[in-house]
Amino acid sequence: MKKYQGKGVYGAVAIGKISLFKKPDAAVKRIHVVDTDNEKTRFEQAKTLAVQQLQEIYEKALKEVGETNAAIFEIHQMMLDDDDYNDSINNIIDSQSVNAEYAVAVTADNFADMFSAMDDAYMKARAADVRDISNRLINNLSGNALIETGSDEKVIICASDLAPSETVALDKDKVLAFVTAHGSSNSHTAILARNMNIPAIIGAGDEFLNEIKDGGEAIVDGYTGEIFVDPDGETRTMLLEKQRADEEKKRLLQELKGKENITADGKKINVYANIGSVGDIGKVLANDAGGIGLFRSEFLYLENSDYPTEDQQFAAYKKVLESMAGKKVVIRTLDIGADKKCDYFNLKPEENPALGYRAIRICLTRPEVFKTQLRALYRASAFGNLGIMFPMITSVSELEKILAICDEVKAELKEQGVEFSDKVELGIMIETPAAAVISDKLAPMVDFFSVGTNDLTQYTLACDRQNPDIEQFVDTHHEAVLRLIEMSAENAHKHGAWIGICGELAADTTLTETFLRMGIDELSVSPTFVLKVRGAVRSIDLSK
Ligand code: PEP
Ligand code: MG
């Protein structure tokens, strides 16, 4: 047995086989071959497998994100059959006597360059699709089948690090736990792991990554951050007992279902859930959340290989609103940039991406992208109780511009006779110190604030949330952060706005009482934490 130590980001215990998550090999080798027919057969086999994989992903996406969003995986299947693409690969194998991987990689580069050079935005965006299908082929050729097509057995995914886009692509039904050698606990990957309700550990270190073997047995303890590879009998018995006790604790929490979020002295609090996709709704309902306090809409963009159209977005938002049947649904507009990268946005590399071109800064400088999303949101508002929230606000003038664009969108919809609700609440995220400090000026302009403690902490403490090396300097209970939240709450209430917290700190039950005493009206947490927070709220007596 060997024990490794990382940092647990979601408490639970899992026992199972290790599956090493391999990133597509960026540097494909050019190998001279004699038997070119064999390479062409290998290519055909990799293609057949890719079509099967894409069909499985299509069917899964159909269930999780609906037909319009799933359609891209049908398009990918068609692209694999494109004559020009196939001819190019076979020609390179024949004419240069090279391996199939190399022929696919060269074809991918050529086709992606050709698409990128086109004027038409739709065709331009096909570059990312060609790369996507080609990576899949290369993975299949080199035996690194992506995990969504692996066996039916659930596995412990072990990786160096995972990007949010890679995490969303994983087949969640086949993941027992996550362990990454690097990464930080406030990264979006960690947040996704919490949403998936599975044990997750980050920062297990390079030694861990170098020593583990695909298919080896491990136990992951997300509470302590420990990973036991080839566990001995005693450890196994102890952790199986811990797993049993954990399940019992979770079962007890289930008894809080259907109960109110009310303090012992009678103050009602909204306990809502955070989601990243339509597919998360099941967990929201299963955990009895009173609404959705944060729908990270950028995941709709990350799941796509091109800008989701107005109709695609409308379908997704409508589905969430209808499923929540009149309960509040706060959808945050696109928060792309920093660690959430989308190829087709063609964002330039930046020295300091967290301080760079992200979120509302992209929306205000690419108004066509912003207006498409706002039109979809307002159209969907006719089907439920919608709140729209804007990320990364730092100034009054930004908010004035946003509100003017909202008015423009509404006027256009009205003129076109398109139905929308006139009760949509507008709010902003308080996730920069600037927004908190001028919250007295921002509050009269909106219906609500939602505090994004993940970013507010990173910007207040000058600690990059992506950098694992400075975790020791991140004091999530830092007085400066708490004072900014308190100041925002006072200003919100002074001007008749409500205030919630949707960052990870909302689920920290050691702070629930502090937040309630500040007057926080809503706590929005990963669906799996809703009942835990309900339990905490019910145990607090604010009259004492
Ligand atoms: C936050 O910053 O706290 C937040 C909720 O937004 P995100 O984690 O998506 O940046
Ligand atoms: Mg944020």
Side-chain angles (χ1 to χ4, degrees), residues 332 335 358 431 455 465:
R332 174 174 77 185
D335 185 15
R358 61 171 289 201
E431 52 184 351
D455 278 317
R465 68 194 265 196

Side-chain angles (χ1 to χ4, degrees), residues 390 398-408 426 445-446:
F390 305 100
E398 273 166 358
L399 188 52
E400 280 169 351
K401 285 189 195 116
I402 292 166
L403 298 178
I405 296 173
C406 288
D407 285 343
E408 225 176 273
L426 295 182
M445 302 170 74
V446 292

Side-chain angles (χ1 to χ4, degrees), residues 186-188 191 274 294 296 298-299 332 335 339-340 358 389 391-392 429-431 450-459 465 501-505:
N186 240 349
S187 67
H188 284 96
I191 293 173
N274 296 343
L294 168 65
R296 289 182 164 95
E298 57 275 9
F299 284 100
R332 174 174 77 185
D335 185 15
D339 62 324
K340 288 176 279 191
R358 61 171 289 201
M389 160 160 95
M392 280 293 291
M429 293 204 59
I430 300 287
E431 52 184 351
S450 185
V451 185
T453 50
N454 309 332
D455 278 317
L456 186 61
T457 306
Q458 113 163 313
Y459 296 128
R465 68 194 265 196
I501 300 179
C502 65
E504 296 301 288
L505 213 54

Side-chain angles (χ1 to χ4, degrees), residues 474-540:
V474 183
D475 172 6
T476 52
H477 293 197
H478 197 291
E479 195 185 341
V481 177
L482 297 178
R483 280 202 211 175
L484 290 174
I485 300 174
E486 187 165 31
M487 184 195 285
S488 305
E490 272 170 23
N491 286 325
H493 291 151
K494 232 182 251 169
H495 297 281
W498 60 266
I499 179 164
I501 300 179
C502 65
E504 296 301 288
L505 213 54
D508 181 339
T509 45
T510 64
L511 282 176
T512 310
E513 179 161 356
T514 308
F515 291 148
L516 298 197
R517 290 198 185 276
M518 286 179 186
I520 296 295
D521 304 292
E522 175 241 31
L523 293 166
S524 191
V525 296
S526 288
T528 46
F529 292 150
V530 165
L531 295 174
K532 183 181 91 163
V533 174
R534 174 172 302 167
V537 167
R538 293 173 66 86
S539 70
I540 291 165

Side-chain angles (χ1 to χ4, degrees), residues 82-97:
D82 178 76
D83 285 343
D84 292 339
Y85 182 75
N86 280 272
D87 288 350
S88 166
I89 293 168
N90 285 317
N91 274 335
I92 292 173
I93 295 176
D94 274 335
S95 62
Q96 302 182 33
S97 299

